[in-house]
Amino acid sequence: MRLFDTLSRTERDLRPIDGSTFRFYCCGPTVYGPAHIGNFRTFVLQDVFRRTLETGGTRTLHVRNITDVDDKTIRDSQAAGKSLAAFTTGWTEKFHADCEKIGLLPPHIEPGAVEHIPQQIAMIATLIEKGHAYASDDGSVYFKISSFAGYGRLSRLDERELDLGKTQNARSSSDEYEKDGLADFVLWKSRRPEDGENFWHSPWGEGRPGWHLECSAMIQEYLGDSFDLHSGGVDLVFPHHENEIAQSECACGGHFAAHWFHITHLLVDGGKMSKSLGNLYTIADLETMGHTAMEVRYVLIGAHYRKPLNFTLDSLSGSREALAKLAKGARHLAANAGEGCVLTTADFGPFQAAWDSLNNDLNTPGALGGLFTGIREASGLTGADAAAALAGFNRVLRALGIVLPEEINHTIPAEIQALAETRWQARLAKNWAESDALRDQLAAQGWQMKDGKDSYILEPSSPA
RNA sequence: GGCGGAGUAGCCAAGUGGUAAGGCAAUGGUUUGCAAAACCGUCAUUCGAGGGUUCGAUUCCCUCCUCCGCCUCCA
């Protein structure tokens, strides 16, 4: 597949460096609260990316970390009166439950920052040894930006008129740490009173690792010096990923990531989502409003990953109808294919355009459009042709990670069933007044009665 | 101030130097006692504004307007 690369600013074909397995790393969540749909836009697109590679026959190795130690996790665990480990474990479990609901494949490896502190300390030692880092008097360690000529390539720092020193100076005046270069970033933070019991021993004294370092250390551990692709939200380009490159290339000497895949933030109602505006949604919030996680997924893949996605409750409502339409199309194809007509094809039939879209810079909205168009084109097919089309349809669907809603056989309470039967008789007797009244009565109890020619269907009224 | 991105129908949203995918909503019809459902249709002479290049631009160039993100933790 072809994918845009943030570093070279070009679209490039993706090929595993080792010729067999595509190895990639995604910056995972900081577990101090529930993940919101903005976080999930990134994770869902990364998931579609992986599924597309796999559907195309490429084996993958997917690593995504859990950040379980930083200012926020320490602060909030203390506020909650829990140990850091107990606190982050709880949120990690919640995160996993959300991931499963929204259809994310679990990463092959999901390392946590705390359990990799020895690796981080080792990397710091290497950096000091090579002259890329220095310890300050208080026991903190900093990366020396001036020692790495390539600093700023990813975020085009050198093309900005941003005077690093000056800008950082204004913002760093209250910083308690001591560093030489004002833009130098921390690798090891010396212990502070507010850290409580959350500190580890190091050659430079008690403290904890800096945030940027954990990813570098875990990548080194699981993917080595060079690997295929690194991904995250756009906000991580600077400084997080810029710093990772500096640390890793200086410590390991490799080329680090061959490709950078960044997902643009989503907007809510046209603006940044934030707690204070009351538009920061979690999956649980949306479920409470009657939407499913799969409907959320549909909305999240409804825009190209490099464009802002304007999330609205209206678009979320529309996704239910869209998914139902796809499900209907699939059932239609299956019916036309007939019993026992199993066919696996090498091509995608009417869904070739949808598949091509995915492979062309992960154009998920294009693929979605291709799905609907393909269904219309395939509607006249029968037998083996229909079966082949269905196979293509299912492969694209799998790549998108969409699980279609199934036709549900509802359990109908006896009194509802009786009420419906009474109405049906009234209707047969052409007693319209009573019939309509009973229909309203059923509706009031949450059941919708749809009249057919010779029978009727009872369905729960769709949630508001 | 610097860097980056976006402006396409009521909403969400693809796309292309050659005359605008798709979804939702809306709406017409068939059907129905009426609805709902289902099925069949309709739905942007136009792509923020103004110039320019071109046989031809929404797509390339310039100017302007508006919006958003980043530059501090952030997916």
Side-chain angles (χ1 to χ4, degrees):
Chain A
M1 72 181 289
R2 290 182 70 74
L3 191 73
F4 184 83
D5 167 44
T6 311
L7 184 54
S8 65
R9 270 145 227 278
T10 54
E11 262 181 40
R12 298 193 315 196
D13 276 312
L14 298 179
R15 299 255 179 275
I17 293 171
D18 70 4
S20 68
T21 302
F22 195 90
R23 302 172 306 127
F24 68 107
Y25 183 91
C26 302
C27 288
T30 300
V31 282
Y32 68 107
H36 52 69
I37 55 171
N39 296 306
F40 278 111
R41 180 185 193 191
T42 296
F43 298 137
V44 164
L45 264 299
Q46 290 165 342
D47 185 64
V48 175
F49 166 73
R50 170 179 163 187
R51 287 167 176 274
T52 301
L53 280 179
E54 292 179 353
T55 301
T58 302
R59 205 173 22 226
T60 66
L61 177 63
H62 177 194
V63 182
R64 187 182 65 212
N65 73 297
I66 294 284
T67 296
D68 51 9
V69 54
D70 78 325
D71 291 334
K72 295 187 292 276
T73 45
I74 289 175
R75 180 196 65 208
D76 291 359
S77 65
Q78 288 171 161
K82 291 182 176 177
S83 71
L84 180 64
F87 180 77
T88 57
T89 299
W91 285 116
T92 300
E93 285 168 0
K94 177 78 178 76
F95 175 65
H96 286 158
D98 281 347
C99 287
E100 192 178 336
K101 277 182 186 166
I102 205 164
L104 300 186
L105 296 170
H108 300 103
I109 303 172
E110 190 174 49
V114 169
E115 56 179 335
H116 292 80
I117 287 178
Q119 286 88 336
Q120 295 174 65
I121 288 175
M123 187 172 270
I124 295 171
T126 303
L127 287 169
I128 291 178
E129 207 173 288
K130 292 188 174 181
H132 293 294
Y134 57 90
S136 65
D137 293 340
D138 73 344
S140 291
V141 181
Y142 294 91
F143 183 90
K144 193 178 180 65
I145 283 182
S146 59
S147 75
F148 180 59
Y151 195 81
R153 269 194 316 148
L154 184 68
S155 57
R156 294 164 129 194
L157 214 52
D158 48 348
E159 288 182 29
R160 306 177 179 192
E161 285 183 28
L162 196 162
D163 181 334
L164 253 188
K166 220 190 273 176
T167 306
Q168 293 289 348
N169 188 29
R171 300 180 194 284
S172 305
S173 55
S174 63
D175 201 310
E176 297 169 31
Y177 299 108
E178 306 161 17
K179 43 192 179 181
D180 293 351
L182 289 163
D184 290 352
F185 57 91
V186 69
L187 298 171
W188 183 262
K189 292 183 163 188
S190 63
R191 183 181 177 188
R192 294 189 288 185
E194 55 266 42
D195 293 338
E197 294 309 301
N198 302 301
F199 65 90
W200 288 265
H201 296 284
S202 83
W204 315 284
E206 295 170 343
R208 59 191 168 91
W211 173 51
H212 307 300
L213 189 68
E214 66 174 88
C215 290
S216 282
M218 292 187 276
I219 284 170
Q220 159 81 342
E221 176 83 2
Y222 298 103
L223 297 173
D225 298 344
S226 301
F227 58 107
D228 293 298
L229 177 144
H230 193 137
S231 177
V234 271
D235 55 297
L236 298 184
V237 172
F238 184 86
H240 187 55
H241 290 160
E242 196 70 73
N243 291 353
E244 277 186 51
I245 292 173
Q247 294 159 350
S248 291
E249 295 197 356
C250 287
C252 312
H255 292 297
F256 204 51
H259 198 110
W260 289 89
F261 170 37
H262 289 107
I263 292 97
T264 298
H265 279 190
L266 70 64
L267 269 31
V268 173
D269 297 328
K272 188 178 183 179
M273 111 181 121
S274 72
K275 240 171 208 165
S276 58
L277 290 173
N279 60 6
L280 195 149
Y281 301 114
T282 64
I283 290 180
D285 292 337
L286 297 170
E287 282 179 331
T288 303
M289 295 179 198
H291 301 100
T292 68
M294 193 47 66
E295 287 162 8
V296 175
R297 182 179 180 111
Y298 184 91
V299 173
L300 294 180
I301 62 176
H304 186 87
Y305 76 88
R306 280 198 281 133
K307 282 197 175 181
L309 159 60
N310 190 17
F311 182 90
T312 63
L313 255 20
D314 280 349
S315 56
L316 183 57
S317 300
S319 67
R320 172 164 305 174
E321 289 305 316
L323 285 167
K325 191 168 181 173
L326 287 176
K328 207 174 294 167
R331 283 196 291 271
H332 183 74
L333 268 178
N336 281 169
E339 292 291 320
C341 195
V342 180
L343 199 77
T344 40
T345 48
D347 66 280
F348 287 81
F351 301 97
Q352 186 63 47
W355 176 243
D356 290 345
S357 289
L358 274 183
N359 285 280
N360 180 22
D361 200 21
L362 208 65
N363 187 345
T364 49
L368 248 21
L371 239 29
F372 288 98
T373 307
I375 280 179
R376 200 168 47 226
E377 284 174 18
S379 63
L381 302 177
T382 55
D385 291 338
L390 184 59
F393 175 79
N394 284 145
R395 288 171 74 195
V396 175
L397 214 60
R398 200 187 320 135
L400 289 170
I402 292 177
V403 177
L404 260 16
E406 290 178 20
E407 278 189 304
I408 307 161
N409 289 316
H410 303 287
T411 311
I412 301 166
E415 67 270 23
I416 296 296
Q417 183 66 62
L419 211 55
E421 193 56 37
T422 306
R423 172 174 176 272
W424 185 249
Q425 292 308 325
R427 183 172 176 275
L428 288 181
K430 299 193 190 298
N431 188 346
W432 310 130
E434 186 187 347
S435 169
D436 289 353
L438 286 166
R439 183 164 59 195
D440 290 344
Q441 206 176 318
L442 280 163
Q445 294 187 45
W447 291 83
Q448 192 182 17
M449 190 160 173
K450 299 174 182 175
D451 300 337
K453 206 176 167 89
D454 304 309
S455 62
Y456 57 86
I457 296 169
L458 266 177
E459 279 180 0
S461 310
S462 39

